[in-house]
Amino acid sequence: RYAMTTGSLQTAGVGLIAALLLMTGCAQPPTEQLAAAQKAVDAAKEAGATDYAKNDFVKLEQQLALAKEELAEQDKTLSIFRSYTEADKMLVKLVETGGQVAAKAAQHKEVAKTAVLALEKEAQQDVASAKNLMEKAPTGKERAALETIKQEIAGLESSFSAVHQLIEMGDYFGAEVQAKAVKEKGAAVSGEIQRAIDKAKEMKRNAHG
């Protein structure tokens, strides 16, 4: 009877050890999920989320940080009590959210591209208008001032290469700032030329009067 009891205890002990080993074996860190989550964050960044979905990207990075904290917390826990269930859920959700942020950024970036291309065209038209007005400009006392304006127009025309380069690089915010500045300057130059034309006409009328 004593031998049977000892055997039973040994069997129970082996069973307990097996159960503990099984529990420990199941609690493996979700390395693949972590890699996938990191990849999703990187993909969102490459899609331009830092500029075109900034708030969403900040939250995405925060979620990744929290998931890593959870993983680190479990790593410090005794193996028999360790569980990566919560971290796994967080990482799976993060991959899904990362895809959504990347899509949102891509959409906003396309909208920004369309807007800056339209702005670039408007700026080109404003500069072209200023250039056309130069042909009607007086050549009397205002000649020196108009020569300066002519140089300004040449400078504005050359600046379009920088705008186009920014567009090619995908920096639509930077291109927008540049194109807007050119557009405003082009309109201002046209105003200067028009005032010079009007002044010359007035002087001509006064001379004949």
Side-chain angles (χ1 to χ4, degrees):
R1 190 165 53 185
Y2 178 77
M4 287 179 63
T5 302
T6 303
S8 298
L9 288 172
Q10 288 176 340
T11 302
V14 171
L16 180 60
I17 293 171
L20 291 174
L21 288 173
L22 183 62
M23 288 172 63
T24 305
C26 290
Q28 296 298 319
T31 52
E32 290 184 8
Q33 291 89 328
L34 178 60
Q38 185 64 62
K39 187 176 180 180
V41 173
D42 293 341
K45 187 174 182 179
E46 289 175 10
T50 52
D51 290 321
Y52 301 97
K54 190 173 182 178
N55 292 336
D56 294 290
F57 186 73
V58 169
K59 291 178 182 177
L60 190 67
E61 286 189 311
Q62 290 173 344
Q63 289 175 16
L64 180 60
L66 288 173
K68 287 181 177 180
E69 285 179 12
E70 173 62 21
L71 286 171
E73 193 65 32
Q74 293 304 319
D75 287 341
K76 291 186 293 184
T77 305
L78 286 173
S79 59
I80 58 172
F81 300 115
R82 194 175 296 161
S83 172
Y84 293 103
T85 303
E86 186 60 30
D88 186 68
K89 288 180 182 178
M90 294 170 72
L91 292 170
V92 169
K93 180 64 178 177
L94 204 151
V95 170
E96 181 184 349
T97 305
Q100 293 170 351
V101 173
K104 185 176 182 178
Q107 183 181 11
H108 287 185
K109 191 173 183 179
E110 192 61 31
V111 171
K113 180 181 179 181
T114 301
V116 76
L117 286 173
L119 184 60
E120 181 190 29
K121 188 175 181 179
E122 290 174 10
Q124 288 172 335
Q125 290 172 345
D126 284 348
V127 173
S129 295
K131 193 173 182 179
N132 290 334
L133 275 175
M134 279 297 299
E135 297 177 4
K136 303 175 184 179
T139 56
K141 294 180 180 179
E142 303 291 331
R143 189 184 187 100
L146 290 170
E147 186 61 32
T148 300
I149 292 175
K150 188 176 181 179
Q151 292 174 3
E152 289 179 354
I153 292 174
L156 289 174
E157 286 182 315
S158 65
S159 66
F160 282 114
S161 60
V163 174
H164 191 69
Q165 186 176 10
L166 288 170
I167 292 173
E168 288 293 314
M169 292 168 57
D171 184 3
Y172 303 129
F173 285 155
E176 181 184 5
V177 172
Q178 291 270 11
K180 189 175 181 180
V182 173
K183 176 177 166 57
E184 290 175 353
K185 184 62 177 176
V189 168
S190 291
E192 290 181 51
I193 299 171
Q194 189 61 57
R195 282 190 292 274
I197 292 172
D198 293 341
K199 185 177 179 181
K201 287 180 179 179
E202 184 179 354
M203 290 176 66
K204 189 174 181 180
R205 283 195 302 267
N206 292 337
H208 286 294

